[in-house]
Each structure stands twice: as structure tokens, then as C-alpha cells.
Amino acid sequence: MIPWLLFKHRELDILQFGGAAAISLGVNIQRERIKLIIAAVALTGAAVSVTGGIGFLGLITPHITRRLGFKKHWQLLPVAAAIGSVLLLISDTIGRLSPGSGEIPAGTVVAIIGAPYFLYLLLKESTR
């Protein structure tokens, strides 16, 4: 599934320009969106079934990567994966080094870090 999505980077880049531009460039918007949504749901389901509640990484790392200047999907996907890995490593380290009677799960630390950033993104989009 992931190699197929990497192969579809041109269509993803074209869809960023909007519906009219994508149609004029020959992309069948409905068919591509359905295929891409099915792929996203399948990959998200597989990731959540394996990782549990660390889903905030999948929500915030693409936004962080775009803020760092990576706009094209052939760059965005591998850099977002690397940033997600680093954030998970940092979250796990914070959870293990936390004071108290035990460890804090990495998913909890990711949620503590990711939720404020996610809310910031939501508020920023709603003010546009």
C-alpha cells in the first residue's frame, strides 16, 4: 500500500491546487479521492491496531513537516515519517525519565505534546 501511495505523489500534488486545476490537468477527482481515502483508512487502521493510542503522531507530523517547508509529497512522506520517529523517541524518553512511581506511557506523552499543537492548528484554520 505504501509503495502505491508513493507512486501517486503526482496526483496528490495536483489535488493540492484544488478541484478545477486538477480537472484541467486530467485528474479524475472522484476516483482518485475514493482510492486515496480507502488507502488512508486502511493504513490508519493498521497503524492504530499495532501502535494503540499514539495516533497523534499521524495527525501532527505532516503539519509540522509542512511548516518546515516540505510541500511536495515525495519529500513530505519520508520526512514526516522521520519526524514522527523522533517525536516518539522523545516521548518515550520523557515517559521513562518522569519522576514518580512508574513510567508514563509514550502514547500519553505524545497526546500531551500533540493535543495543544493540534488545537492550535484547529483554531488557526477556524479563524481563516
Side-chain angles (χ1 to χ4, degrees):
M1 182 78 61
I2 292 174
W4 179 78
L5 281 174
L6 290 173
F7 177 73
K8 300 298 269 179
H9 70 89
R10 288 183 183 90
E11 287 83 1
L12 288 167
D13 290 339
I14 291 171
L15 286 171
Q16 281 185 332
F17 293 122
I23 289 171
S24 68
L25 292 171
V27 175
N28 185 341
I29 295 175
Q30 292 291 26
R31 188 178 70 212
E32 289 301 320
R33 282 188 180 160
I34 289 171
K35 285 195 266 184
L36 291 169
I37 287 172
I38 290 170
V41 167
L43 287 173
T44 302
V48 169
S49 72
V50 172
T51 62
I54 304 176
F56 269 114
L57 285 177
L59 291 173
I60 63 173
T61 53
H63 295 288
I64 292 170
T65 307
R66 281 196 175 100
R67 299 274 288 177
L68 292 175
F70 296 96
K71 304 292 184 202
K72 295 187 178 183
H73 284 86
W74 69 271
Q75 298 170 328
L76 182 79
L77 291 172
V79 174
I83 289 173
S85 301
V86 170
L87 283 174
L88 182 58
L89 180 66
I90 290 169
S91 298
D92 187 49
T93 304
I94 289 171
R96 289 178 189 265
L97 297 177
S98 65
S101 62
E103 294 181 7
I104 299 173
T108 304
V109 178
V110 167
I112 291 169
I113 294 170
Y117 185 71
F118 192 63
L119 289 173
Y120 161 75
L121 290 174
L122 287 173
L123 292 173
K124 188 176 106 175
E125 283 296 317
S126 67
T127 57
R128 282 187 180 184

